[in-house]
Amino acid sequence: MDNRIDLNMFRQIMLSDEFEDISRDLNKFDNHDCHFYYDESNNIRKLWLDEDDFNAPIDSDFVLGGVMCIEQPQNTNVDELKSQLRLPKSANELKFKHISKGKDFLGCLSEPKVKLFLQWLYQSDLYVHYSNINNLYFAVVDIIDSIDESAFVPFIFQIKNELYKIAVSNYHDFYQLLKRHNYPNIVSGSIASFYEHIIGFIDNIDDPTFEMELLRQYLKQGRKQHKLIFLQDNLEKTILDNYFPFYLRPIGVFCKARHTFDNEYFIENQFKKYELFIGNSKADNYSFVDSKDNPLIQVSDCIVGLLGKYYTYINRLSRQEEYEMFNAITTTQRSTLKLFAQVIKKSEDISKLLLHSSESLYEHEVGAFIFNRALEIV
């Protein structure tokens, strides 16, 4: 087995995007000494089809990320932050649990220590970065990506979004469809039936939108195929064997930066299985450390923990609830939400490449609405 991986592929895929030129953004990171620090949230390690449901909550997005700095940051005194937070004497490192006991995102926004942490982070020389993975979206998009039809490419994200909406609104029945067809290993003789059943969900919609009709036509192309490139020859009942590729991605994209990860022994073992290169040079721009010895990994734990709560929250939010939220939250929650949005906006202003998300357009639109409204809070 070839165990060599050229991490340049992540950058080359992004540079080949005919709709967006990111070369200038990449130069920002290539021409400065940048250091990325990482922790993760909602790491289920593996996603598979169990008896009646997936093995883990499907609406809790995996988030890998933390903070990054450019050159030598001046205003990043973590000891001062710890002093302000008044950590218990038993705490030998800062963790998300020390700033919030909230069960959900809105609960976190009520916590005084979350506000204090966000104020410190906003005023610091640190920037937030992350990759967010919506597990359900990740699980179903191969249904679209396996269809060999180029005519619909300009609408591909809208089509994927419509499929995701069907999967969410018909969750139990959609899951049973996946299970009946031994997803993600659909035998050639079942391809037509599989796509026909998905079309059946659209047939039950009284007044389908233009985008939903596009999905219908795209699925009709799929049912004609005799092979599905991404939905055959996979591990049985396994959607995601591990999150290893998402650890590789930022190392390849920000290939001249340094990357420091919190110890994650399962992932470290995955790294040891491969020879990692950036072009012709062996990749040596990453390391794993004990968070107890690295204050900025500890800061990363806090912001990623909050991001994990945030993405779980918006996954469960309807359009109506999205609008009602701003009337229902308290003054404290509103001011903390604005700080949260300001922290993210501060990073986005440096480069949108810092904020990577594998999610549906619906989830993206909900998040954009909340952030834009939050930034307008006075």
Side-chain angles (χ1 to χ4, degrees), residues 38-49:
Y38 297 80
D39 209 324
E40 75 277 331
S41 181
N42 301 329
N43 187 354
I44 59 175
R45 290 189 168 83
K46 188 171 183 176
L47 181 66
W48 72 84
L49 281 75

Side-chain angles (χ1 to χ4, degrees), residues 79-135:
D79 286 335
E80 178 184 311
L81 170 64
K82 291 178 179 178
S83 176
Q84 293 175 17
L85 290 172
R86 297 182 180 179
L87 297 187
K89 293 181 179 180
S90 58
N92 52 12
E93 63 177 316
L94 172 62
K95 304 284 284 184
F96 178 63
K97 65 182 181 182
H98 295 137
I99 67 171
S100 178
K101 304 294 184 185
K103 292 183 178 180
D104 57 22
F105 181 65
L106 294 186
C108 293
L109 295 182
S110 299
E111 300 272 8
K113 289 184 178 180
V114 170
K115 184 174 183 178
L116 194 156
F117 169 76
L118 290 172
Q119 286 173 329
W120 177 89
L121 185 56
Y122 183 58
Q123 293 165 2
S124 76
D125 295 330
L126 298 172
Y127 301 93
V128 171
H129 69 95
Y130 63 82
S131 289
N132 166 63
I133 313 302
N134 180 309
N135 288 313

Side-chain angles (χ1 to χ4, degrees), residues 343-361:
V343 165
I344 303 302
K345 183 68 165 56
K346 171 186 167 185
S347 302
E348 186 180 55
D349 288 344
I350 293 293
S351 173
K352 291 183 179 180
L353 296 181
L354 292 173
L355 313 177
H356 168 249
S357 197
S358 177
E359 62 182 355
S360 69
L361 287 178

Side-chain angles (χ1 to χ4, degrees), residues 144-235:
I144 300 300
D145 288 335
S146 293
I147 298 175
D148 185 16
E149 173 54 68
S150 60
F152 291 81
V153 168
F155 307 99
I156 199 66
F157 290 109
Q158 289 89 342
I159 289 170
K160 290 178 178 179
N161 188 55
E162 297 307 305
L163 178 67
Y164 175 75
K165 286 160 62 176
I166 286 175
V168 170
S169 58
N170 302 274
Y171 181 76
H172 178 74
D173 291 338
F174 199 91
Y175 180 84
Q176 292 303 318
L177 172 64
L178 299 182
K179 189 179 174 188
R180 282 199 310 274
H181 285 84
N182 198 37
Y183 197 85
N185 282 306
I186 301 175
V187 298
S188 296
S190 295
I191 291 175
S193 172
F194 177 68
Y195 281 103
E196 190 61 40
H197 276 93
I198 301 176
I199 291 171
F201 289 112
I202 302 174
D203 292 339
N204 288 328
I205 299 174
D206 290 334
D207 188 18
T209 62
F210 170 74
E211 291 80 9
M212 193 65 76
E213 287 295 347
L214 280 178
L215 172 62
R216 188 204 302 270
Q217 298 307 315
Y218 201 68
L219 295 172
K220 286 181 178 180
Q221 297 299 316
R223 75 183 175 189
K224 299 175 184 178
Q225 294 183 190
H226 301 290
K227 184 174 177 58
L228 299 176
I229 186 171
F230 296 115
L231 295 177
Q232 294 175 325
D233 303 319
N234 295 309
L235 291 174

Side-chain angles (χ1 to χ4, degrees), residues 203-342:
D203 292 339
N204 288 328
I205 299 174
D206 290 334
D207 188 18
T209 62
F210 170 74
E211 291 80 9
M212 193 65 76
E213 287 295 347
L214 280 178
L215 172 62
R216 188 204 302 270
Q217 298 307 315
Y218 201 68
L219 295 172
K220 286 181 178 180
Q221 297 299 316
R223 75 183 175 189
K224 299 175 184 178
Q225 294 183 190
H226 301 290
K227 184 174 177 58
L228 299 176
I229 186 171
F230 296 115
L231 295 177
Q232 294 175 325
D233 303 319
N234 295 309
L235 291 174
E236 283 298 301
K237 301 185 186 302
T238 302
I239 301 297
L240 187 69
D241 193 35
N242 58 67
Y243 288 109
F244 177 55
F246 301 106
Y247 285 77
L248 297 180
R249 180 189 174 279
I251 300 173
V253 172
F254 307 107
C255 59
K256 295 187 179 181
R258 288 172 290 159
H259 302 266
T260 301
F261 298 91
D262 187 20
N263 282 342
E264 224 296 358
Y265 298 109
F266 178 80
I267 291 296
E268 288 180 68
N269 286 333
Q270 294 298 310
F271 270 84
K272 292 173 183 176
K273 292 179 181 179
Y274 299 92
E275 286 187 281
L276 303 179
F277 286 80
I278 298 174
N280 295 321
S281 302
K282 198 161 187 178
D284 60 358
N285 60 337
Y286 66 92
S287 61
F288 289 85
V289 302
D290 190 328
S291 59
K292 293 185 179 66
D293 302 324
N294 193 302
L296 293 185
I297 294 284
Q298 297 172 32
V299 173
S300 297
D301 179 277
C302 293
I303 188 60
V304 169
L306 188 57
L307 283 164
K309 296 283 190 181
Y310 164 73
Y311 275 107
T312 298
Y313 174 69
I314 67 171
N315 278 344
R316 299 171 180 175
L317 210 58
S318 69
R319 286 291 192 196
Q320 185 62 32
E321 291 167 334
E322 170 189 342
Y323 287 96
E324 293 173 350
M325 183 195 78
F326 284 91
N327 295 324
I329 57 178
T330 66
T331 301
T332 297
Q333 289 172 320
R334 289 170 68 86
S335 61
T336 306
L337 177 61
K338 181 171 184 176
L339 264 175
F340 179 66
Q342 288 175 321

